[in-house]
Amino acid sequence: MKTTETPAPVPAESGATVTKADSPGGAPPREEKTGGVLNVFSHGILVIWAIMVALPLVWAVMTSFKDDASIFGSPWSLPDKLHFENWSRAWTQAHMSEYFLNTVLVVGGSLIGTLVLGSMAAYVLARFEFPGNRFIYYLFIGGMSFPIMLALVPLFYVVNNMGLLNTIHGLILVYIAYSLPFTVFFLTAFFRTLPSTVAEAAFVDGASHTRTFFQIMLPMAKPGLISVGIFNFLGQWNQYMLPTVLNTDEDKHVLTQGLVQLAVSQGYKGDWSGLFAGLVMAMLPVLAAYVVFQRQVVQGLTAGALK
């Protein structure tokens, strides 16, 4: 007796699309079509945005290696040769080296102070319940909405009465106070996502609150610290209003003040190549910081959502 063998069904390849004939009832896969249109649209917007951001940056770097005649004669062409003397002239004659050192001291000191004080305040507000907890938290949030323009005049008199006007450490303290509200707001939400069982185990082993914070909780909050540190670094490095009001001594100018002074002091000379070289010098540390810590910034921003 002969039996008829039925061929085994061939499994569909992974990633194969469902055609109209394969779909039940012959209905077209509307969801896949809609998703494909949205993906194309979103990718197109991202490409346009990337071009809008990258094109001025590439043009500024390219222009910093041209001479003044090439900048106005052929602004979009590549330089005939690399004029490194533009960078050396901006670094020495325009005193960009002094401005760069002052900016590193101010931003470095304020960034360390902001992260230390902000993380301590955020940890207490996130982990401990006490009378006035929410009130203090909302005070920090209110500080984020307070325009710095309204505080310039009283801030000038406060810093002047303390004897901190035209000083590096006075500018560091003002930067710390200016950056604390956002830092506490960001890190408070981040500390709430960390597991409390690790801190409880440390308390059982006899660790104090200080040791638990600095040796256990703070290393666990490293992605959040890097993320908020990058944001503060960008804001403090590009800060112009505060140093203009509180730091009128030319020897203690920061990079933003130095670039403005370089542009104004040219008069009718028009040293545009040196100005673009100084501009690129001011941008390079920001770009380097973001490229190095790009992955940590994304982890810190998505840690609360992935928890």
PDB file of all heavy atoms in Angstrom, residues 84-111:
ATOM      1  N   PHE A  84      48.826  77.626   9.466  1.00  0.00           N
ATOM      2  CA  PHE A  84      48.886  77.402  10.911  1.00  0.00           C
ATOM      3  C   PHE A  84      49.296  78.668  11.671  1.00  0.00           C
ATOM      4  O   PHE A  84      49.138  78.725  12.887  1.00  0.00           O
ATOM      5  CB  PHE A  84      49.875  76.274  11.225  1.00  0.00           C
ATOM      6  CG  PHE A  84      49.388  74.921  10.810  1.00  0.00           C
ATOM      7  CD1 PHE A  84      49.862  74.324   9.653  1.00  0.00           C
ATOM      8  CD2 PHE A  84      48.452  74.236  11.576  1.00  0.00           C
ATOM      9  CE1 PHE A  84      49.414  73.075   9.276  1.00  0.00           C
ATOM     10  CE2 PHE A  84      47.995  72.985  11.203  1.00  0.00           C
ATOM     11  CZ  PHE A  84      48.479  72.401  10.042  1.00  0.00           C
ATOM     12  N   GLU A  85      49.804  79.661  10.938  1.00  0.00           N
ATOM     13  CA  GLU A  85      50.183  80.903  11.611  1.00  0.00           C
ATOM     14  C   GLU A  85      48.951  81.626  12.164  1.00  0.00           C
ATOM     15  O   GLU A  85      49.081  82.445  13.086  1.00  0.00           O
ATOM     16  CB  GLU A  85      50.947  81.814  10.661  1.00  0.00           C
ATOM     17  CG  GLU A  85      50.162  82.318   9.459  1.00  0.00           C
ATOM     18  CD  GLU A  85      50.241  81.377   8.271  1.00  0.00           C
ATOM     19  OE1 GLU A  85      50.739  80.236   8.457  1.00  0.00           O
ATOM     20  OE2 GLU A  85      49.814  81.780   7.174  1.00  0.00           O
ATOM     21  N   ASN A  86      47.765  81.338  11.623  1.00  0.00           N
ATOM     22  CA  ASN A  86      46.543  81.930  12.187  1.00  0.00           C
ATOM     23  C   ASN A  86      46.347  81.475  13.635  1.00  0.00           C
ATOM     24  O   ASN A  86      46.002  82.277  14.505  1.00  0.00           O
ATOM     25  CB  ASN A  86      45.326  81.525  11.352  1.00  0.00           C
ATOM     26  CG  ASN A  86      45.421  81.989   9.915  1.00  0.00           C
ATOM     27  OD1 ASN A  86      46.140  82.938   9.603  1.00  0.00           O
ATOM     28  ND2 ASN A  86      44.693  81.330   9.026  1.00  0.00           N
ATOM     29  N   TRP A  87      46.562  80.203  13.881  1.00  0.00           N
ATOM     30  CA  TRP A  87      46.398  79.657  15.226  1.00  0.00           C
ATOM     31  C   TRP A  87      47.466  80.192  16.174  1.00  0.00           C
ATOM     32  O   TRP A  87      47.157  80.561  17.316  1.00  0.00           O
ATOM     33  CB  TRP A  87      46.450  78.129  15.173  1.00  0.00           C
ATOM     34  CG  TRP A  87      45.242  77.514  14.539  1.00  0.00           C
ATOM     35  CD1 TRP A  87      44.808  77.687  13.252  1.00  0.00           C
ATOM     36  CD2 TRP A  87      44.311  76.642  15.157  1.00  0.00           C
ATOM     37  NE1 TRP A  87      43.667  76.965  13.030  1.00  0.00           N
ATOM     38  CE2 TRP A  87      43.338  76.310  14.177  1.00  0.00           C
ATOM     39  CE3 TRP A  87      44.197  76.106  16.425  1.00  0.00           C
ATOM     40  CZ2 TRP A  87      42.270  75.455  14.449  1.00  0.00           C
ATOM     41  CZ3 TRP A  87      43.137  75.252  16.701  1.00  0.00           C
ATOM     42  CH2 TRP A  87      42.186  74.947  15.721  1.00  0.00           C
ATOM     43  N   SER A  88      48.704  80.237  15.708  1.00  0.00           N
ATOM     44  CA  SER A  88      49.773  80.741  16.580  1.00  0.00           C
ATOM     45  C   SER A  88      49.587  82.229  16.872  1.00  0.00           C
ATOM     46  O   SER A  88      49.846  82.692  17.986  1.00  0.00           O
ATOM     47  CB  SER A  88      51.138  80.500  15.918  1.00  0.00           C
ATOM     48  OG  SER A  88      51.224  81.185  14.669  1.00  0.00           O
ATOM     49  N   ARG A  89      49.103  82.988  15.891  1.00  0.00           N
ATOM     50  CA  ARG A  89      48.876  84.411  16.113  1.00  0.00           C
ATOM     51  C   ARG A  89      47.730  84.637  17.104  1.00  0.00           C
ATOM     52  O   ARG A  89      47.809  85.499  17.996  1.00  0.00           O
ATOM     53  CB  ARG A  89      48.552  85.090  14.773  1.00  0.00           C
ATOM     54  CG  ARG A  89      48.432  86.615  14.864  1.00  0.00           C
ATOM     55  CD  ARG A  89      48.316  87.241  13.498  1.00  0.00           C
ATOM     56  NE  ARG A  89      47.094  86.885  12.810  1.00  0.00           N
ATOM     57  CZ  ARG A  89      47.036  86.022  11.789  1.00  0.00           C
ATOM     58  NH1 ARG A  89      48.142  85.452  11.334  1.00  0.00           N
ATOM     59  NH2 ARG A  89      45.878  85.742  11.207  1.00  0.00           N
ATOM     60  N   ALA A  90      46.661  83.865  16.976  1.00  0.00           N
ATOM     61  CA  ALA A  90      45.552  83.991  17.918  1.00  0.00           C
ATOM     62  C   ALA A  90      45.955  83.532  19.314  1.00  0.00           C
ATOM     63  O   ALA A  90      45.507  84.095  20.316  1.00  0.00           O
ATOM     64  CB  ALA A  90      44.355  83.175  17.429  1.00  0.00           C
ATOM     65  N   TRP A  91      46.823  82.529  19.397  1.00  0.00           N
ATOM     66  CA  TRP A  91      47.222  81.989  20.698  1.00  0.00           C
ATOM     67  C   TRP A  91      48.145  82.928  21.457  1.00  0.00           C
ATOM     68  O   TRP A  91      48.074  83.028  22.688  1.00  0.00           O
ATOM     69  CB  TRP A  91      47.879  80.638  20.493  1.00  0.00           C
ATOM     70  CG  TRP A  91      48.233  79.912  21.754  1.00  0.00           C
ATOM     71  CD1 TRP A  91      49.467  79.800  22.329  1.00  0.00           C
ATOM     72  CD2 TRP A  91      47.336  79.185  22.607  1.00  0.00           C
ATOM     73  NE1 TRP A  91      49.396  79.056  23.473  1.00  0.00           N
ATOM     74  CE2 TRP A  91      48.100  78.651  23.674  1.00  0.00           C
ATOM     75  CE3 TRP A  91      45.971  78.932  22.584  1.00  0.00           C
ATOM     76  CZ2 TRP A  91      47.532  77.886  24.692  1.00  0.00           C
ATOM     77  CZ3 TRP A  91      45.414  78.166  23.587  1.00  0.00           C
ATOM     78  CH2 TRP A  91      46.183  77.666  24.625  1.00  0.00           C
ATOM     79  N   THR A  92      49.010  83.640  20.734  1.00  0.00           N
ATOM     80  CA  THR A  92      50.009  84.487  21.391  1.00  0.00           C
ATOM     81  C   THR A  92      49.613  85.958  21.375  1.00  0.00           C
ATOM     82  O   THR A  92      49.444  86.585  22.420  1.00  0.00           O
ATOM     83  CB  THR A  92      51.371  84.298  20.712  1.00  0.00           C
ATOM     84  OG1 THR A  92      51.256  84.566  19.306  1.00  0.00           O
ATOM     85  CG2 THR A  92      51.879  82.881  20.915  1.00  0.00           C
ATOM     86  N   GLN A  93      49.437  86.532  20.177  1.00  0.00           N
ATOM     87  CA  GLN A  93      49.175  87.966  20.076  1.00  0.00           C
ATOM     88  C   GLN A  93      47.798  88.353  20.618  1.00  0.00           C
ATOM     89  O   GLN A  93      47.642  89.422  21.200  1.00  0.00           O
ATOM     90  CB  GLN A  93      49.302  88.411  18.614  1.00  0.00           C
ATOM     91  CG  GLN A  93      50.696  88.230  18.033  1.00  0.00           C
ATOM     92  CD  GLN A  93      50.787  88.703  16.595  1.00  0.00           C
ATOM     93  OE1 GLN A  93      49.865  89.320  16.072  1.00  0.00           O
ATOM     94  NE2 GLN A  93      51.908  88.389  15.952  1.00  0.00           N
ATOM     95  N   ALA A  94      46.800  87.506  20.448  1.00  0.00           N
ATOM     96  CA  ALA A  94      45.452  87.801  20.942  1.00  0.00           C
ATOM     97  C   ALA A  94      45.256  87.334  22.382  1.00  0.00           C
ATOM     98  O   ALA A  94      44.139  87.428  22.900  1.00  0.00           O
ATOM     99  CB  ALA A  94      44.410  87.153  20.043  1.00  0.00           C
ATOM    100  N   HIS A  95      46.304  86.794  23.001  1.00  0.00           N
ATOM    101  CA  HIS A  95      46.269  86.364  24.407  1.00  0.00           C
ATOM    102  C   HIS A  95      45.224  85.276  24.658  1.00  0.00           C
ATOM    103  O   HIS A  95      44.667  85.180  25.755  1.00  0.00           O
ATOM    104  CB  HIS A  95      45.986  87.559  25.331  1.00  0.00           C
ATOM    105  CG  HIS A  95      46.915  88.713  25.152  1.00  0.00           C
ATOM    106  ND1 HIS A  95      48.231  88.680  25.574  1.00  0.00           N
ATOM    107  CD2 HIS A  95      46.722  89.932  24.582  1.00  0.00           C
ATOM    108  CE1 HIS A  95      48.813  89.826  25.286  1.00  0.00           C
ATOM    109  NE2 HIS A  95      47.924  90.608  24.676  1.00  0.00           N
ATOM    110  N   MET A  96      44.966  84.450  23.642  1.00  0.00           N
ATOM    111  CA  MET A  96      44.018  83.366  23.834  1.00  0.00           C
ATOM    112  C   MET A  96      44.531  82.331  24.821  1.00  0.00           C
ATOM    113  O   MET A  96      43.737  81.635  25.467  1.00  0.00           O
ATOM    114  CB  MET A  96      43.715  82.701  22.481  1.00  0.00           C
ATOM    115  CG  MET A  96      42.972  83.589  21.501  1.00  0.00           C
ATOM    116  SD  MET A  96      41.347  84.116  22.092  1.00  0.00           S
ATOM    117  CE  MET A  96      40.505  82.556  22.107  1.00  0.00           C
ATOM    118  N   SER A  97      45.838  82.216  24.961  1.00  0.00           N
ATOM    119  CA  SER A  97      46.397  81.266  25.924  1.00  0.00           C
ATOM    120  C   SER A  97      46.025  81.656  27.356  1.00  0.00           C
ATOM    121  O   SER A  97      45.668  80.793  28.177  1.00  0.00           O
ATOM    122  CB  SER A  97      47.914  81.202  25.770  1.00  0.00           C
ATOM    123  OG  SER A  97      48.493  82.493  25.967  1.00  0.00           O
ATOM    124  N   GLU A  98      46.087  82.961  27.671  1.00  0.00           N
ATOM    125  CA  GLU A  98      45.708  83.411  29.014  1.00  0.00           C
ATOM    126  C   GLU A  98      44.208  83.225  29.254  1.00  0.00           C
ATOM    127  O   GLU A  98      43.792  82.775  30.327  1.00  0.00           O
ATOM    128  CB  GLU A  98      46.092  84.882  29.181  1.00  0.00           C
ATOM    129  CG  GLU A  98      47.585  85.155  29.019  1.00  0.00           C
ATOM    130  CD  GLU A  98      47.898  86.632  29.113  1.00  0.00           C
ATOM    131  OE1 GLU A  98      46.967  87.418  29.427  1.00  0.00           O
ATOM    132  OE2 GLU A  98      49.052  87.005  28.855  1.00  0.00           O
ATOM    133  N   TYR A  99      43.405  83.560  28.251  1.00  0.00           N
ATOM    134  CA  TYR A  99      41.964  83.392  28.393  1.00  0.00           C
ATOM    135  C   TYR A  99      41.594  81.911  28.537  1.00  0.00           C
ATOM    136  O   TYR A  99      40.679  81.556  29.298  1.00  0.00           O
ATOM    137  CB  TYR A  99      41.233  83.988  27.194  1.00  0.00           C
ATOM    138  CG  TYR A  99      41.540  85.442  26.944  1.00  0.00           C
ATOM    139  CD1 TYR A  99      41.562  85.975  25.659  1.00  0.00           C
ATOM    140  CD2 TYR A  99      41.812  86.302  28.011  1.00  0.00           C
ATOM    141  CE1 TYR A  99      41.834  87.307  25.434  1.00  0.00           C
ATOM    142  CE2 TYR A  99      42.089  87.639  27.789  1.00  0.00           C
ATOM    143  CZ  TYR A  99      42.103  88.133  26.500  1.00  0.00           C
ATOM    144  OH  TYR A  99      42.382  89.469  26.277  1.00  0.00           O
ATOM    145  N   PHE A 100      42.297  81.064  27.818  1.00  0.00           N
ATOM    146  CA  PHE A 100      42.032  79.627  27.894  1.00  0.00           C
ATOM    147  C   PHE A 100      42.363  79.100  29.287  1.00  0.00           C
ATOM    148  O   PHE A 100      41.602  78.305  29.862  1.00  0.00           O
ATOM    149  CB  PHE A 100      42.859  78.892  26.835  1.00  0.00           C
ATOM    150  CG  PHE A 100      42.483  77.456  26.641  1.00  0.00           C
ATOM    151  CD1 PHE A 100      41.509  77.102  25.724  1.00  0.00           C
ATOM    152  CD2 PHE A 100      43.103  76.454  27.369  1.00  0.00           C
ATOM    153  CE1 PHE A 100      41.154  75.772  25.538  1.00  0.00           C
ATOM    154  CE2 PHE A 100      42.762  75.126  27.201  1.00  0.00           C
ATOM    155  CZ  PHE A 100      41.784  74.783  26.267  1.00  0.00           C
ATOM    156  N   LEU A 101      43.489  79.532  29.850  1.00  0.00           N
ATOM    157  CA  LEU A 101      43.872  79.087  31.189  1.00  0.00           C
ATOM    158  C   LEU A 101      42.870  79.576  32.226  1.00  0.00           C
ATOM    159  O   LEU A 101      42.470  78.807  33.126  1.00  0.00           O
ATOM    160  CB  LEU A 101      45.275  79.598  31.519  1.00  0.00           C
ATOM    161  CG  LEU A 101      45.812  79.252  32.919  1.00  0.00           C
ATOM    162  CD1 LEU A 101      45.878  77.750  33.114  1.00  0.00           C
ATOM    163  CD2 LEU A 101      47.182  79.888  33.144  1.00  0.00           C
ATOM    164  N   ASN A 102      42.439  80.814  32.130  1.00  0.00           N
ATOM    165  CA  ASN A 102      41.438  81.336  33.071  1.00  0.00           C
ATOM    166  C   ASN A 102      40.130  80.556  32.970  1.00  0.00           C
ATOM    167  O   ASN A 102      39.499  80.248  33.992  1.00  0.00           O
ATOM    168  CB  ASN A 102      41.178  82.819  32.793  1.00  0.00           C
ATOM    169  CG  ASN A 102      42.376  83.691  33.093  1.00  0.00           C
ATOM    170  OD1 ASN A 102      43.238  83.325  33.904  1.00  0.00           O
ATOM    171  ND2 ASN A 102      42.457  84.832  32.454  1.00  0.00           N
ATOM    172  N   THR A 103      39.724  80.217  31.755  1.00  0.00           N
ATOM    173  CA  THR A 103      38.478  79.466  31.572  1.00  0.00           C
ATOM    174  C   THR A 103      38.597  78.070  32.157  1.00  0.00           C
ATOM    175  O   THR A 103      37.644  77.568  32.776  1.00  0.00           O
ATOM    176  CB  THR A 103      38.126  79.386  30.077  1.00  0.00           C
ATOM    177  OG1 THR A 103      38.115  80.705  29.518  1.00  0.00           O
ATOM    178  CG2 THR A 103      36.776  78.735  29.868  1.00  0.00           C
ATOM    179  N   VAL A 104      39.734  77.427  31.971  1.00  0.00           N
ATOM    180  CA  VAL A 104      39.929  76.083  32.532  1.00  0.00           C
ATOM    181  C   VAL A 104      39.866  76.122  34.057  1.00  0.00           C
ATOM    182  O   VAL A 104      39.245  75.256  34.698  1.00  0.00           O
ATOM    183  CB  VAL A 104      41.269  75.498  32.055  1.00  0.00           C
ATOM    184  CG1 VAL A 104      41.613  74.230  32.832  1.00  0.00           C
ATOM    185  CG2 VAL A 104      41.214  75.198  30.560  1.00  0.00           C
ATOM    186  N   LEU A 105      40.487  77.144  34.665  1.00  0.00           N
ATOM    187  CA  LEU A 105      40.453  77.256  36.128  1.00  0.00           C
ATOM    188  C   LEU A 105      39.034  77.501  36.635  1.00  0.00           C
ATOM    189  O   LEU A 105      38.587  76.856  37.597  1.00  0.00           O
ATOM    190  CB  LEU A 105      41.376  78.396  36.578  1.00  0.00           C
ATOM    191  CG  LEU A 105      42.878  78.191  36.364  1.00  0.00           C
ATOM    192  CD1 LEU A 105      43.651  79.442  36.783  1.00  0.00           C
ATOM    193  CD2 LEU A 105      43.368  76.984  37.144  1.00  0.00           C
ATOM    194  N   VAL A 106      38.309  78.414  35.985  1.00  0.00           N
ATOM    195  CA  VAL A 106      36.962  78.753  36.439  1.00  0.00           C
ATOM    196  C   VAL A 106      36.010  77.579  36.234  1.00  0.00           C
ATOM    197  O   VAL A 106      35.292  77.162  37.157  1.00  0.00           O
ATOM    198  CB  VAL A 106      36.453  80.012  35.709  1.00  0.00           C
ATOM    199  CG1 VAL A 106      34.984  80.255  36.033  1.00  0.00           C
ATOM    200  CG2 VAL A 106      37.272  81.226  36.101  1.00  0.00           C
ATOM    201  N   VAL A 107      35.996  77.024  35.030  1.00  0.00           N
ATOM    202  CA  VAL A 107      35.059  75.944  34.732  1.00  0.00           C
ATOM    203  C   VAL A 107      35.429  74.677  35.496  1.00  0.00           C
ATOM    204  O   VAL A 107      34.539  73.975  36.010  1.00  0.00           O
ATOM    205  CB  VAL A 107      35.025  75.683  33.216  1.00  0.00           C
ATOM    206  CG1 VAL A 107      34.147  74.481  32.891  1.00  0.00           C
ATOM    207  CG2 VAL A 107      34.506  76.908  32.483  1.00  0.00           C
ATOM    208  N   GLY A 108      36.715  74.373  35.615  1.00  0.00           N
ATOM    209  CA  GLY A 108      37.119  73.186  36.360  1.00  0.00           C
ATOM    210  C   GLY A 108      36.734  73.265  37.828  1.00  0.00           C
ATOM    211  O   GLY A 108      36.167  72.323  38.397  1.00  0.00           O
ATOM    212  N   GLY A 109      37.020  74.411  38.466  1.00  0.00           N
ATOM    213  CA  GLY A 109      36.664  74.567  39.875  1.00  0.00           C
ATOM    214  C   GLY A 109      35.166  74.578  40.100  1.00  0.00           C
ATOM    215  O   GLY A 109      34.663  73.939  41.043  1.00  0.00           O
ATOM    216  N   SER A 110      34.429  75.265  39.239  1.00  0.00           N
ATOM    217  CA  SER A 110      32.974  75.322  39.414  1.00  0.00           C
ATOM    218  C   SER A 110      32.321  73.983  39.105  1.00  0.00           C
ATOM    219  O   SER A 110      31.337  73.602  39.755  1.00  0.00           O
ATOM    220  CB  SER A 110      32.386  76.406  38.511  1.00  0.00           C
ATOM    221  OG  SER A 110      32.663  76.132  37.153  1.00  0.00           O
ATOM    222  N   LEU A 111      32.864  73.245  38.162  1.00  0.00           N
ATOM    223  CA  LEU A 111      32.282  71.945  37.832  1.00  0.00           C
ATOM    224  C   LEU A 111      32.463  70.955  38.975  1.00  0.00           C
ATOM    225  O   LEU A 111      31.528  70.213  39.327  1.00  0.00           O
ATOM    226  CB  LEU A 111      32.926  71.403  36.553  1.00  0.00           C
ATOM    227  CG  LEU A 111      32.206  70.261  35.842  1.00  0.00           C
ATOM    228  CD1 LEU A 111      30.815  70.689  35.424  1.00  0.00           C
ATOM    229  CD2 LEU A 111      33.012  69.808  34.637  1.00  0.00           C
TER     230      LEU A 111
END
